[in-house]
Amino acid sequence: MKKNTSKLLDVIFENLIWLLVAAGLIIFSSLSSSFRSPNNLASLLYRSAALGLLVLGQSFTMITGNFDLSSESGLGLTAMVAALALASADNGGLGWEVSPFVAIVLMIGVGLLIGLINGLLITRLKMNNLIVTIAMQMILRGLVYIISPGSTASFFPKAFDWLGGGTLFKIPLERGFFSFPVATLFVILIFVVSHIITRYTQFGRNMYAVGSNLTAAKDAGIDTDKIVRIVYLIDGLCMALAGLLAAGRLDSATPRTGAGLTFPVQAAAVIGGISMAGGRGNMIGALGGLMLWSILDNGLSIMKVSPFWIETSRGLILLFAVWLDAVKVKKVHQRSLIDILLQSTIGLKDKTIVKN
Amino acid sequence: MNKGQKRDWVKIILDNFIWLILTVLFTYFAVNVPNFTSKTNLLNILLHASVLGVLTIGQAIVLMTGNFDLSAEGMVSLSTILAMWLMIEPGSVVGTAQGSGLMLNPYLVIFIILILGTLSGYIIGVLITRLNMNGFIVTLAAQLVLRGVAMIVSNGQIMTGSPKAFNWLGGAKIYGIPVSVIVTLLLFVGVNYMLNQSKFGRELRAVGANPDAAQASGFNPKRTITLAYTIGGFLAAFAGWMLLGRLETAVSSLGSGMTLETVAASVIGGVSLKGGIGSVGGAFAGVLLLSLIDNALNLMSVDSFWVESVRGFIILLALLIEAQKFRYKPKVVHEKEPAVASDCK
């Protein structure tokens, strides 16, 4: 009986994030009628799409025990590059007016290049990943300002905007329509693909191995540096796709596009159960973290809570998430210790230990 | 001189690289930038370095234990706002300074904010060491919370007019030299001496280099890390006092972006991010370098877009040097190698 309850607790603990998401949705919808309006829900989905891809990239790096704080500027840079190539000279572009396909290839190229540089600096030159990416964040943001016309570049071809700003199908409601964003479907698809990659492929297992114990992974013959480099490449790809979604939604790019996203990205990943220590957490959890963060953000601001309180509450939520992470780590440690003791021949079969 | 004591020149140069860069840059700027060597400008550089310097001491101490402190700039914001709130009159005009109307004695206020800083540092330390929470994110969240409280207290408004007694540290001059510069220099010399001579200094480095080994050899890593954060919190409040004294104005965005500068200054000055290595004296050189570059770029009226990129490159460069230091293995193994392991963690 006791074992059953602890198992139930485990299940609740593991899926706490989805309970919180549901609770957040129910609470905000019952408190505020403007929150549950179809327009607001659609804008919530649009807004979280680009953020979601950054969270995904961050989750990849965090599972291997690394960080990426440069993604917000990566998003800004890729969006600006595409905008300059697409927009006509009157609208702040360079006047090339390339086809959307070329622009997207260009963006992905820039994103991959950023990822490559990050990865090489971290693995080849053995520089601290945290500070490398902070420095990259500054450098890339500086670059965005330097290449930008100093203002907005806007009005892109329809085909380019489709992924970020298009709607897929309209669900008729009592008043108006709820139009489902293409971007959301795209992001969910990518999350599922990533989940499959991390869970069921050799590469995914290697990622977890590198994150949970670097030395052991090396000893087991895994080329850890290569794994980290690939992870940063994936992260660069995510930046470029996020830039595509952001630029498509706004139909424009400014030098400040994406600025200040690092913190929400980090927070959403941690809340979603991606461990700071590396090696734990999964992509579906990260998706939950992203949803919880977006719902809280949107809900609090739509209920006209003072922005100062929102800032404070964000900090407190993050503290709570880190505390949860710490508790989980402790639990895992305890459990493995108990397993070892039970299996050992010393004879510690006392039921008293199992209580923990 | 036997072989064991033969000096490893590469190592010495790598260790003191920062002072070399500092000298070269200073000479370059002195020759090429007009008005760079004027007395006012040199004092300006030092003034800019003073608040940053005090924060960097705290950051360097925490970094030496192998942890980060991103909360200091939040504490700077909260301590200045709270001090103002306690000292000034309640605003009669809506949208201007809103004091609490307590009008406390400035000396009492100084005492209060210093206690507050120490306490918040201690709490952060306890969260990290006792509850095993990740230091990076805890201090990031603490920064948000502290700044958020400062925003709530100040209601987002600017507060001006701190009393003279309070401003002494940041604004007064002795023989033409700002008090804050003198105090900062004394602090650096004092803390550097203390860390090099005292047991606490050895403990800091030992814990940073290898917590398990430190614990095994009788140190208490949890206590040391908590103490490091406590000192960091105290120094952050102290820096807030200094900054408010200089500006006589408080706004909740004060100090934003300083965290990164303190980490950069420490790293440039040779404090390792992996913990256990570095000195506060080196960090001071890092602070001077950052202030020097900022000042010179300003005087040359460089486009502000470039400044951000240049800063990023400088941090990257410093990291590169730091990383190479780890890879460089001295050929001659000293018999009396200092008890700091460089390849732990």
Side-chain angles (χ1 to χ4, degrees):
Chain A
M1 188 60 213
K2 239 175 198 171
K3 224 173 185 182
N4 277 341
T5 48
S6 90
K7 252 191 186 159
L8 186 70
L9 272 178
D10 270 10
V11 171
I12 292 175
F13 211 67
E14 285 304 311
N15 295 302
L16 191 64
I17 182 72
W18 294 107
L19 287 178
L20 289 176
V21 168
L25 268 179
I26 292 168
I27 289 172
F28 280 120
S29 332
S30 57
L31 282 180
S32 150
S33 62
S34 34
F35 178 81
R36 58 173 185 262
S37 75
N39 270 342
N40 182 54
L41 290 181
S43 94
L44 193 153
L45 290 178
Y46 274 121
R47 284 232 205 122
S48 50
L51 183 67
L53 285 180
L54 293 189
V55 172
L56 190 72
Q58 180 74 267
S59 305
F60 266 103
T61 51
M62 273 169 79
I63 286 175
T64 61
N66 287 284
F67 284 98
D68 178 23
L69 306 183
S70 68
S71 55
E72 63 162 68
S73 299
L75 185 156
L77 185 65
T78 49
M80 184 50 85
V81 165
L84 286 179
L86 282 168
S88 62
D90 296 342
N91 293 323
L94 290 174
W96 294 349
E97 301 191 44
V98 295
S99 78
F101 178 73
V102 175
I104 291 173
V105 169
L106 202 62
M107 288 176 93
I108 289 177
V110 171
L112 287 177
L113 188 67
I114 296 170
L116 185 72
I117 294 173
N118 275 340
L120 284 181
L121 286 179
I122 290 163
T123 56
R124 281 285 154 81
L125 298 176
K126 305 280 173 224
M127 286 155 81
N128 181 292
N129 59 71
L130 198 71
I131 305 288
V132 162
T133 51
I134 287 181
M136 280 301 276
Q137 179 193 334
M138 298 169 85
I139 293 172
L140 295 177
R141 183 59 64 189
L143 265 180
V144 178
Y145 273 110
I146 291 163
I147 64 165
S148 81
S151 58
T152 326
S154 44
F155 301 117
F156 312 138
K158 274 260 153 55
F160 182 82
D161 290 346
W162 181 75
L163 195 61
T167 53
L168 207 57
F169 38 78
K170 288 183 172 175
I171 303 166
L173 291 170
E174 297 160 40
R175 284 170 293 151
F177 291 96
F178 174 68
S179 30
F180 197 80
V182 182
T184 304
L185 207 65
F186 178 66
V187 169
I188 290 175
L189 185 77
I190 291 202
F191 262 99
V192 170
V193 170
S194 313
H195 186 74
I196 292 168
I197 290 176
T198 48
R199 264 292 144 94
Y200 303 108
T201 66
Q202 179 76 46
F203 169 70
R205 279 193 290 277
N206 286 352
M207 262 173 63
Y208 281 95
V210 168
S212 51
N213 195 338
L214 189 67
T215 354
K218 255 181 205 160
D219 290 345
I222 298 172
D223 188 351
T224 54
D225 281 359
K226 193 175 152 200
I227 300 281
V228 172
R229 273 202 298 277
I230 294 175
V231 159
Y232 272 99
L233 274 181
I234 294 175
D235 181 41
L237 184 67
C238 287
M239 282 179 215
L241 293 176
L244 176 63
L245 293 188
R249 177 172 71 91
L250 300 169
D251 198 21
S252 64
T254 69
R256 303 290 305 159
T257 304
L261 279 183
T262 298
F263 179 71
V265 166
Q266 196 77 31
V270 173
I271 291 171
I274 307 278
S275 171
M276 308 284 304
R280 259 170 322 105
N282 61 55
M283 295 303 173
I284 298 298
L287 183 64
L290 165 75
M291 284 175 69
L292 184 63
W293 183 263
S294 308
I295 288 169
L296 280 177
D297 222 30
N298 183 294
L300 287 178
S301 52
I302 216 159
M303 284 172 63
K304 303 220 167 53
V305 177
S306 145
F308 310 143
W309 279 105
I310 294 183
E311 191 83 2
T312 313
S313 65
R314 281 177 166 183
L316 291 176
I317 292 165
L318 194 58
L319 267 183
F320 175 72
V322 188
W323 175 73
L324 220 57
D325 185 42
V327 170
K328 268 187 199 166
V329 173
K330 213 173 182 181
K331 244 184 142 185
V332 170
H333 272 281
Q334 272 178 358
R335 184 143 325 147
S336 59
L337 198 68
I338 290 167
D339 285 347
I340 292 168
L341 285 178
L342 281 179
Q343 285 164 11
S344 71
T345 49
I346 309 172
L348 278 171
K349 280 172 189 162
D350 270 343
K351 291 276 157 46
T352 46
I353 304 175
V354 188
K355 254 190 203 166
N356 295 321
Chain B
M1 207 183 248
N2 63 23
K3 223 179 177 184
Q5 281 171 332
K6 198 174 158 193
R7 279 161 187 248
D8 190 340
W9 286 108
V10 183
K11 193 166 163 37
I12 288 175
I13 290 174
L14 272 179
D15 279 348
N16 294 302
F17 204 66
I18 172 72
W19 293 103
L20 200 71
I21 298 179
L22 203 59
T23 325
V24 171
L25 264 182
F26 186 82
T27 329
Y28 175 79
F29 287 145
V31 173
N32 286 313
V33 182
N35 292 332
F36 185 74
T37 43
S38 69
K39 196 191 160 205
T40 19
N41 191 50
L42 290 183
L43 279 183
N44 254 341
I45 297 176
L46 287 176
L47 257 183
H48 183 248
S50 61
V51 173
L52 184 63
V54 173
L55 285 177
T56 305
I57 296 177
Q59 183 71 267
I61 290 176
V62 175
L63 281 178
M64 274 183 215
T65 65
N67 287 281
F68 279 96
D69 184 5
L70 309 183
S71 70
E73 65 169 73
M75 195 59 230
V76 168
S77 164
L78 181 60
S79 61
T80 51
I81 290 287
L82 197 71
M84 264 320 210
W85 187 71
L86 289 173
M87 285 188 304
I88 62 171
E89 298 172 16
S92 47
V93 188
V94 178
T96 53
Q98 300 281 333
S100 63
L102 289 171
M103 313 271 289
L104 293 182
N105 184 313
Y107 296 108
L108 184 64
V109 171
I110 292 168
F111 182 71
I112 290 174
I113 60 170
L114 290 183
I115 291 288
L116 179 79
T118 316
L119 208 64
S120 100
Y122 178 73
I123 291 172
I124 291 171
V126 167
L127 285 182
I128 293 168
T129 54
R130 305 286 155 182
L131 297 180
N132 294 320
M133 286 157 80
N134 182 293
F136 185 73
I137 296 287
V138 166
T139 52
L140 187 62
Q143 178 194 329
L144 277 189
V145 172
L146 291 174
R147 197 183 287 286
V149 173
M151 280 174 171
I152 293 166
V153 170
S154 72
N155 207 6
Q157 302 294 339
I158 297 174
M159 297 174 164
T160 49
S162 51
K164 212 160 187 191
F166 188 91
N167 294 344
W168 180 78
L169 177 69
K173 286 182 177 178
I174 298 176
Y175 299 117
I177 301 170
V179 176
S180 56
V181 171
I182 300 172
V183 169
T184 310
L185 286 177
L186 284 179
L187 259 180
F188 265 108
V189 173
V191 173
N192 199 26
Y193 181 78
M194 186 196 89
L195 290 189
N196 284 337
Q197 302 296 325
S198 70
K199 187 183 164 225
F200 178 64
R202 282 196 299 279
E203 226 170 283
L204 269 186
R205 293 197 173 88
V207 167
N210 193 337
D212 297 334
Q215 182 144 34
S217 46
F219 292 136
N220 186 347
K222 288 190 173 178
R223 207 191 59 126
T224 311
I225 292 172
T226 312
L227 199 56
Y229 274 107
T230 312
I231 294 173
F234 171 81
L235 286 173
F238 191 81
W241 173 22
M242 196 181 259
L243 190 63
L244 183 55
R246 194 169 90 213
L247 303 174
E248 300 179 20
T249 304
V251 62
S252 53
S253 65
L254 265 189
S256 62
M258 272 188 145
T259 299
L260 205 55
E261 286 186 54
T262 57
V263 175
S266 309
V267 173
I268 292 172
V271 179
S272 167
L273 291 173
K274 292 173 187 173
I277 295 177
S279 71
V280 169
F284 181 57
V287 171
L288 280 182
L289 186 74
L290 283 187
S291 313
L292 204 70
I293 291 169
D294 260 14
N295 182 284
L297 289 179
N298 239 332
L299 280 184
M300 292 193 285
S301 52
V302 172
D303 201 352
S304 63
F305 301 155
W306 279 97
V307 174
E308 187 89 354
S309 282
V310 168
R311 275 196 190 158
F313 272 118
I314 291 167
I315 295 173
L316 217 53
L317 200 71
L319 265 183
L320 193 69
I321 294 166
E322 195 230 341
Q324 301 327 302
K325 220 190 285 177
F326 271 98
R327 297 172 113 195
Y328 175 73
K329 294 267 169 11
K331 277 174 192 159
V332 187
V333 178
H334 299 250
E335 262 175 61
K336 284 185 180 173
E337 183 93 299
V340 176
S342 59
D343 51 353
C344 296
K345 279 201 171 178

